[in-house]
Amino acid sequence: MSNPSSNLFDLHEFDPLTSASNASQDSIDDLLKLQNETPKPPPRRRPPPPPPPQQAVKDEASLEDVVLTESSVKDDSELLDPQHRPRSTPVAAARRHSSMLEQASRHDGDTIDGKIVSKNVVDTSIMNMSRPSKSSSFTVSSPSRTQQNATIGAPKSRSAFYTGNVPRAGNNENGVEKRKNRDEYLHVFMDRREDEYTVKEKLNVFVGSWNVNGKSPSESLIEWLSKEKIHPDLYFIGFQELDLSKEAFVFTESSKENEWINKIQEALHPKPKYRLMKSVRLIGMMLVLFVSEEYYHQISSVSTRHVGTGLLGKMGNKGGVGIRLEMKNSSICVVNSHLAAHTENVKRRNQDYEDIKSRMKFTVDDSEHSLFDHDILVWLGDLNYRIEGLQGSVVRNWANDGKFESLKHYDQLLNEMSKKAVFNEFVEGAIKFLPTYKYDPGTDDWDTSEKARLPAWCDRILWWEKTKKTSTKRAKYVRQTNYKSHRSLRLSDHKPISSMFEFDVKAVDNKRYKKVLEEEMRRLDKMENDTLPSAKISNHMVDFGEVKFSREVHRSISITNTGQNPCHFEFITKPDINATCKPWLTIVHSSGLMMPNESMDIQFEIYINQTTAANLNNGKESLDDILVLHLHNGKDFFVTIAGRYVPSCFGSPLSVLCRMNRPIQNYSLEEIKKLNEEQESGQNLQAIPKELWKLIDHLYVISKEEEDLFQQPGLHEEVQNIREFLDTQPVTSNLPLPGSTHSVAEALLIFLASLPTPVIPHNYFMPCINSLQSDDLKASISEVIETLPRTHHHVLEYILVFLRELPLYPSNGLSTKLIAEIFSVQLLPVPVAFTSTSSSRQFKRKSIEFIEQCILLGG
């Protein structure tokens, strides 16, 4: 291999030892000599990219002091923070019992009445896809993972039982707290006796799923939706691959959404009248809920959510959408998902399921609900699990002969469920229909294309039921009356499936409810005259040990009620600071109510993402905190949190990385802190970070022709291994990056998204956008790029040279437009000042256009 030339961005082969070894020398003359070399324009020939050349530069141009707030990076914060879990409170449920107490005092009859809300409580608007983020995906903020740094005046070593209470406000506030405690006690007591005052009412529910392969509706859906003798009370209908256009992967518009909704309305059961209650869509996944007029006003607390599991939690047309609702005294949740494709990607499918399960949260009345907080959970969709281990001819013959029991032994989903690797405790009905995939569209013939995909039951419907509060047994709210496919619908390469269910919803008998309520009220009156609550915790010190970027670490303590009365605990905000804990910490079960002698585990999670990594990398923050655990009407505990953050190139500034000629973990914390302090005055040893070169070099040399490059996600564990490699291995190492092509591609995007200051800093956003109005685009854009700080200029030019190569290889499926859509979020993110305006979508489009022009004009 040849030595690097003086051309900074000449993509040619060279010896990577040159940059690292020369950079470690102390020859100022050599550095000054390289500084004066002028980069040449990128060449037309396209050999592999080099590592960063040794280059000493003049003082870095001063950057505007841009602080990335949660809002300014919200397009990607969820993507690097997939386990964000705000805490929930039982206050909303307590209000239900309080309001029903008022109703019970006015009605003494034997009638059974469910909760009824006016139709304007539940709108019929369609919730289109919006870009996933910490704020938009869940639309709640977390009291447990607050965005403010919190400290406490007590010494950090203190963790003993605190014998005094945190000062409270006046008597009026104490009265409010007592009322709140009483309501929450009442909620728990009444829930434990729910079977004594509720009766079951049958609800007929239709659940359907169809991967429509991007097609518009061209045939009647009656055979699918309305051939049952018993008319459904509720329809949950899910679609996958509703829209396969490239634009649908980035923007929310899709004309096919309304086309399919209108087609559904034409085919619903003719007996009752139905109304569209809710619809939610994420790219090609859509879930719609139709309700008969009889039940429309008996449904409340409807909420929708979506979770992307594709590249960076967005791309790839994979993920899930969900609708939850309450009917009378029962809660129902339905999830429609599209998991990773291809036979070999079992782990990816399992990972997609776990991501959806952990990240899909619904917010109702300021209280958060996870999937498993509901009485009934139905999961449908193109789960993409295949039949594996048989020859294609055997699979087709057994399928045609109806040997479904034999085929099921080779079904990936059933095998993964038997290992408890996925869908643990879910139930699926007996499969007595032909595999639903893959067919020649328009026919009932198995796939005759060149790929000849094997038949498989990709499309499935499963369900889960909550365990009774007073028992370890399942509640048995669900009965499946049929489970089948519909072969007469032929427009797609999938066949639609459906299942009819009978759900038992819990309706309140007001007379019995009033009796139980009065008994529990008397019990509360007696409790208030008894002794104060008391408790003990298992540990006052929680040590997390080593903590690394984007890798969760969990610890837990237990709390036990040692008193004679119920004990309500919660972690409270610390004096004069609106924060329960620091932003990198999440408290699971941050409040709770325990009966005497009961114990509860309190779980803590540290997760470092792009918003918190910067100050940990530069030494301004450390992993320590003190939490205040308060017993209502009782004493307080102090819980000390400690850990040691391991610095990473992810979340470090470009200028600091360019001054490192060794892996970041080979530097002491003091050295890293000094480099951060000198980042605007020191000398670069490399023109671009060696870690960036390693990622791009791997992708160019090995992966530039990979199918669906930058369009499919990698495996979480592989992305973590790649990060660990970059943090610990020298650039001179001949070891390859430890992961698949898609994992390396995702690692590159995460690296760019985690930069404390973007490649194009926020204060350059408007000059970039304004440059698009010039008659001489090339000159105008070049002028803006030339004004970027030197390190950012070098990095941008280097990335653009790489991006210009990708459309030359049709097998990767990347057009210049799609590349710009993917990379604009990383290179030119929309600043926070514009994200909350009505023009935010226009700014996003302009950002894409700017990056697209940068790629085209430099080619």
Side-chain angles (χ1 to χ4, degrees), residues 586-597:
T586 296
I587 307 172
V588 184
H589 303 309
S590 59
S591 66
L593 181 63
M594 302 178 297
M595 295 297 106
N597 298 318

Side-chain angles (χ1 to χ4, degrees), residues 111 257 392 474 734 776:
T111 58
E257 181 171 331
R474 293 288 158 195
N734 292 323
D776 188 349

Side-chain angles (χ1 to χ4, degrees), residues 35 56-61 659 680-684 790:
Q35 174 181 323
V57 299
K58 60 185 178 182
D59 291 351
E60 190 75 28
R659 290 178 172 85
E680 294 184 6
S681 59
Q683 291 181 326
N684 286 0
R790 182 179 292 271

Side-chain angles (χ1 to χ4, degrees), residues 361-480:
K361 313 284 185 180
F362 300 88
T363 305
V364 179
D365 294 333
D366 299 323
S367 182
E368 185 186 78
H369 302 265
S370 72
L371 295 181
F372 297 97
D373 287 335
H374 298 86
D375 295 313
I376 299 170
L377 170 61
V378 178
W379 197 304
L380 61 99
D382 180 1
L383 307 187
N384 252 324
Y385 289 92
R386 309 302 174 91
I387 293 172
E388 185 179 24
L390 292 173
Q391 293 293 327
S393 58
V394 175
V395 175
R396 295 182 181 90
N397 290 336
W398 285 9
N400 293 333
D401 294 342
K403 297 181 178 179
F404 303 144
E405 291 301 317
S406 298
L407 274 179
K408 285 194 289 187
H409 291 295
Y410 300 90
D411 179 78
Q412 290 178 337
L413 177 57
L414 294 178
N415 290 332
E416 291 299 299
M417 290 175 68
S418 68
K419 295 185 292 188
K420 300 188 182 302
V422 70
F423 288 104
N424 191 27
E425 297 184 340
F426 277 78
V427 179
E428 183 180 24
I431 299 177
K432 298 181 179 179
F433 50 86
L434 283 164
T436 56
Y437 173 87
K438 178 179 184 177
Y439 295 86
D440 290 338
T443 75
D444 293 330
D445 301 328
W446 302 119
D447 181 24
T448 58
S449 69
E450 182 180 351
K451 293 182 178 179
R453 302 287 193 193
L454 292 184
W457 287 295
C458 290
D459 310 281
R460 312 289 272 265
I461 299 172
L462 303 93
W463 73 92
W464 172 93
E465 303 173 64
K466 180 182 287 187
T467 303
K468 285 188 176 181
K469 300 177 179 67
T470 56
S471 170
T472 58
K473 296 181 180 179
R474 293 288 158 195
K476 298 298 181 186
Y477 299 124
V478 179
R479 292 176 298 281
Q480 187 181 55

Side-chain angles (χ1 to χ4, degrees), residues 723-743:
R723 179 201 54 73
E724 184 75 16
F725 182 96
L726 296 173
D727 286 342
T728 59
Q729 295 296 318
V731 71
T732 56
S733 171
N734 292 323
L735 296 174
L737 291 174
S740 67
T741 289
H742 297 302
S743 296

Side-chain angles (χ1 to χ4, degrees), residues 29 38 159 185 201 250 334 407 410 415 417 427 530 554 593 609 614 637 681 795:
D29 293 337
T38 303
S159 61
Y185 293 157
E201 291 186 354
V250 179
V334 177
L407 274 179
Y410 300 90
N415 290 332
M417 290 175 68
V427 179
D530 290 340
H554 299 270
L593 181 63
N609 65 7
F637 299 88
S681 59
V795 168

